[in-house]
């Protein structure tokens, strides 16, 4: 066989192989997402020939009261006292007594009433008598007032900041890849009010693009550095900026990795594939302050109106101020009423290579301040390898945690604040690969929970914590 | 002119309507009260016959944040897991008393105790126990520690304890105490010593 012939056969086989394996890949399920006030759902889109169809029953059922009757070739759909009729093989249908013409004869399939997707908005318009907006390219249908317009604003400061202002609170999934951050909205009816692609004259954040696809929306931000995304304004504002300390050394620290479950779907901190602190120096002393609870999770109901989540946030802000005043770098895990799971909190503390993790709680039982270390059994120290199990990540740091607790307790006592040091099975202490402390503040001498809102008391506790951290720092840094 | 009999009939009917409305309101309130405070369906006593036995309950006290031992006499079944369940039920009943040092919600119950092997126990509590439990680090730790310590005081071979709520896993008791994994009894015993030591370190 001639070499050129052999090459041709090889090329043909390879192209056949790639063609074949591509064909093996499962096709992405086509979806239509319907946003209506108080309800968001997706229905499957079926393709027949070159036309896309949706099952009318699947569309109408979640939107109101639906009654379906089949009589031979006739279908009667009664939706909230409005009736529509279809007949197999006929193009003419009736909607609320009026004629409605289909482009092709009506057909059902396995109990599904198939309607061409392009016809759905006009059909629903006549049935629901509500304003509708259909984004055909992204297969997104907005019913009535279920729409969340947003605008983007680039602030060319140092560091550069990209701010997204939404009309209603959003809960996207945020993913990071080297060079870009993807913010995916599966359930939010967001609609861009400006151009879909924005380019910025900036070396760090270069562009942002809005895209609607397969029943969802996505914002992609291209950047040359890891990005940090934070929510504020009760989830209505999303601020994206370069992660702190990006400009510092790029040498990763020699801290062993921590085996973690799936990363948070709505992280507050983004690291662009590499933890921000990993790019910073090994000797950065970062204190992670975690105001516990937040968002959907209220924590303890201290009174009918006083929720633990609000007080932990207030105390967290004072502690941050006190630490920063003493030259300590601080990362607050939430600075608004946002929901974070305990796993997400631990992941954020670990990926930022916290020197110390402090979670704040408020309680009505007992008096004074309780300082908690993890209930996980301590390890001898020599057993710490390259891989730290998620459930016992704290084991190797427990002695340091106890030292910090002791230092903090000393400061509390110096300020006449009653204090106890205990162990507790308090999430996420077990999962933090750094010295970790839980702080629970109870009323001083009385059982009056209003004492917890006292600025004097909060300030005294925050100052004691900050001074205790500063004195513990000298002991912690050699160990790091 | 309206006949007298008609007048009387109208008065009687209006009176009947008012009385019925009042009665309906009373019934409605009674139903609401029953819904708010579901009936305690637990048996009032262990379904066994025999002589009462003295058992130790490790009881939490919120005011001092401590644990202390209280001995009670209860009739216990012969089967091991039922026996442990009754002991824990006695502890929960203690917490539901009027003068409880660590109040638990009315209707809280221990559904079952499963002794998986000689060293592992699973305590299954009902949903009221967790849903209506007070939220806080100390108050939840006291509940968990007192239950585990009461169990291991009765059955010292147990080294690991897991909690279920209505037969299912739950992340935390009431937002603070971790229920997702197994409790190491030696660590809990150390914590119990800290609690028993009382106030400041």
């Amino acid at each position: 066989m001639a070499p050129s012939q052999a090459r041709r056969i090889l090329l043909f086989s390879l192209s056949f192989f790639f063609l074949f394996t591509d064909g093996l890949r499962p096709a992405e399920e086509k979806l239509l997402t319907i946003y209506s006030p108080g309800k968001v759902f997706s229905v499957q889109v079926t393709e027949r020939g070159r036309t896309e169809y949706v099952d009318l029953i699947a569309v109408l059922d979640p939107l109101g009261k639906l009654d379906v009757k089949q009589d031979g070739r006739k279908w009667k759909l009664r939706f909230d006292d409005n009736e529509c009729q279809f007949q197999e093989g006929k193009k003419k249908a009736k909607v609320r007594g009026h004629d409605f013409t289909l482009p092709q004869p009506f057909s059902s399939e396995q109990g599904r009433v198939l309607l061409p997707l392009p016809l759905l908005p006009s059909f629903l318009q006549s049935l629901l008598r509500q304003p509708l907006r259909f984004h055909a390219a992204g297969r997104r249908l907005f019913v009535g007032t279920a729409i969340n317009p947003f605008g983007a604003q680039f602030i060319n400061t140092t560091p550069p900041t990209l701010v997204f202002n939404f009309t209603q609170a959003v809960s996207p999934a945020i993913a990071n890849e080297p060079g870009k951050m993807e913010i995916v909205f599966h359930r939010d009816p967001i609609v861009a009010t400006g151009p879909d692609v924005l380019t910025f004259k900036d070396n760090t954040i270069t562009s942002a693009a809005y895209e609607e696809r397969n029943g969802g929306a996505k914002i992609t931000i291209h950047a040359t550095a890891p990005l940090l995304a934070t929510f504020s304004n009760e989830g209505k504002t999303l601020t994206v900026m370069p992660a702190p300390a990006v400009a510092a050394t790029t040498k990763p620290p020699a801290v062993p990795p921590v085996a973690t479950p799936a990363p948070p779907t709505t992280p507050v901190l983004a690291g662009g594939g590499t933890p921000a602190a990993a790019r910073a120096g090994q000797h950065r002393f970062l204190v992670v302050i975690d105001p516990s609870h937040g968002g959907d999770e209220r924590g303890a109901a201290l009174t009918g109106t006083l929720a633990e989540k609000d007080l932990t946030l207030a105390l967290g802000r004072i502690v941050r101020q006190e630490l920063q005043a003493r030259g300590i770098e601080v990362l607050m895990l939430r600075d608004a009423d946002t929901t974070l799971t305990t796993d997400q909190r631990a992941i954020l503390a670990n990926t930022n290579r916290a020197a110390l993790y402090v979670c704040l709680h408020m309680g009505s039982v007992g008096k004074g301040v309780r300082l908690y270390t993890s209930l996980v059994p301590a390890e001898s120290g020599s057993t710490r390898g390259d891989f730290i199990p998620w459930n016992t990540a704290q084991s190797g740091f427990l002695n340091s945690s106890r030292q910090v607790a002791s230092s903090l307790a000393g400061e509390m006592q110096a300020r006449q604040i009653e204090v106890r040091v205990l162990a507790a099975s308090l999430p996420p202490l077990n999962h933090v690969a750094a010295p970790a402390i839980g702080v629970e503040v109870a009323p001083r001498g009385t059982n009056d929970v209003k004492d917890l809102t006292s600025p004097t008391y909060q300030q005294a506790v925050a100052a004691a914590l900050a001074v205790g951290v500063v004195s513990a720092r000298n002991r912690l840094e050699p160990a790091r | 002119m309206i006949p007298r009999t008609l007048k009387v009939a109208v008065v009687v009917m209006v009176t009947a309507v008012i009385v019925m409305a009042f009665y309906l309101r009373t019934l409605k309130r009674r139903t609401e009260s029953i819904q708010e405070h579901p009936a305690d369906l637990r048996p009032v006593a262990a379904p066994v016959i025999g002589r009462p036995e003295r058992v130790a309950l490790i009881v939490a006290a919120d005011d001092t944040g401590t644990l202390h031992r209280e001995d009670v006499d209860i009739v216990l079944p012969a089967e091991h897991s039922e026996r442990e369940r009754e002991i824990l039920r006695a502890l929960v009943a203690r917490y539901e008393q009027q003068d409880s040092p660590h109040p638990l919600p009315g209707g809280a119950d221990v559904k079952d105790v499963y002794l998986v092997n000689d060293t592992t126990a699973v305590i299954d509590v009902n949903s009221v126990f967790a849903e209506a439990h007070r939220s806080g680090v100390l108050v939840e730790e006291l509940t968990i520690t007192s239950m585990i310590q009461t169990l291991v005081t009765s059955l010292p071979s147990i080294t690991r304890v897991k909690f279920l709520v209505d037969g299912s896993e739950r992340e935390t008791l009431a937002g603070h105490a971790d229920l997702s994994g197994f409790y190491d009894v030696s660590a809990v015993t150390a914590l119990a010593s800290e609690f028993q030591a009382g106030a400041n370190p």
Side-chain angles (χ1 to χ4, degrees), chain B residues 66-166:
Chain B
T66 54
L67 297 171
H68 62 273
R69 179 181 169 134
E70 286 183 15
D71 290 334
V72 293
D73 294 319
I74 51 174
V75 178
L76 293 174
E79 203 275 321
H80 278 309
S81 58
E82 285 179 13
R83 185 183 170 87
E84 301 312 320
R85 183 188 64 193
E86 291 310 318
I87 293 172
L88 289 179
R89 278 184 163 175
L91 178 68
V92 171
R94 173 74 183 93
Y95 287 144
E96 289 179 357
Q97 285 172 5
Q98 203 79 39
D99 62 339
S100 169
H102 177 73
L104 282 190
D109 190 18
V110 177
K111 290 178 75 178
D112 263 310
V113 174
Y114 304 100
L115 300 174
V116 181
N117 53 38
D118 287 348
T119 58
T120 306
V122 177
I123 300 171
D124 184 14
V125 296
N126 69 352
S127 57
V128 176
F129 189 103
E131 297 295 341
H133 196 285
R134 289 170 298 151
S135 180
V137 186
L138 182 69
V139 74
E140 291 176 44
E141 290 298 329
L142 282 171
T143 300
I144 296 290
T145 310
S146 82
M147 290 187 77
I148 293 176
Q149 286 304 107
T150 300
L151 180 72
V152 298
T153 304
S154 162
L155 209 59
S157 64
I158 296 295
T159 57
R160 295 192 332 142
V161 178
K162 163 93 182 158
F163 283 85
L164 297 177
V165 177
D166 255 345

Side-chain angles (χ1 to χ4, degrees), chain A residues 48-61:
Chain A
R48 296 280 176 273
R50 285 184 180 179
T51 311
E52 292 178 333
Y53 289 85
V54 283
D55 176 18
L56 200 52
I57 297 172
V59 169
L60 291 176
D61 200 31

Side-chain angles (χ1 to χ4, degrees), chain A residues 116-138:
Chain A
L117 182 57
L119 222 63
L120 183 69
S122 56
F123 177 83
L124 286 181
Q125 187 102 47
S126 48
L127 190 69
L128 300 174
R129 284 172 291 172
Q130 280 195 57
L132 289 172
R133 190 165 162 172
F134 183 48
H135 290 195

Side-chain angles (χ1 to χ4, degrees), chain A residues 366-368 416-418 442-446 448 451-452 454 456-457 460:
Chain A
K367 53 187 176 180
Q416 313 293 320
I417 300 171
E418 200 167 309
R444 273 171 288 194
T446 60
D448 186 5
D451 197 28
L452 296 173
S454 155
T456 323
Y457 186 34

Side-chain angles (χ1 to χ4, degrees), chain A residues 293 297 299-300 308 342 361 365-366 370 372 375 377 413 418-427 430 440, chain B residues 62 64-65 134-139 141 171-172 175-178 183 187-188 191 194-195 198-201:
Chain A
H293 313 291
E297 202 206 327
E308 186 186 359
T342 49
H361 289 268
V365 169
R370 271 96 57 176
Y372 298 101
L375 196 59
Q413 283 169 331
E418 200 167 309
V419 63
R420 286 182 82 183
V421 179
L422 296 161
S425 60
L426 176 66
N430 284 2
E440 185 180 34
Chain B
D62 291 345
T64 51
R134 289 170 298 151
S135 180
V137 186
L138 182 69
V139 74
E141 290 298 329
E171 206 170 313
T172 60
H176 298 89
D178 191 356
Y183 276 89
V188 176
L191 173 60
E194 288 175 15
F195 278 134
N200 298 332

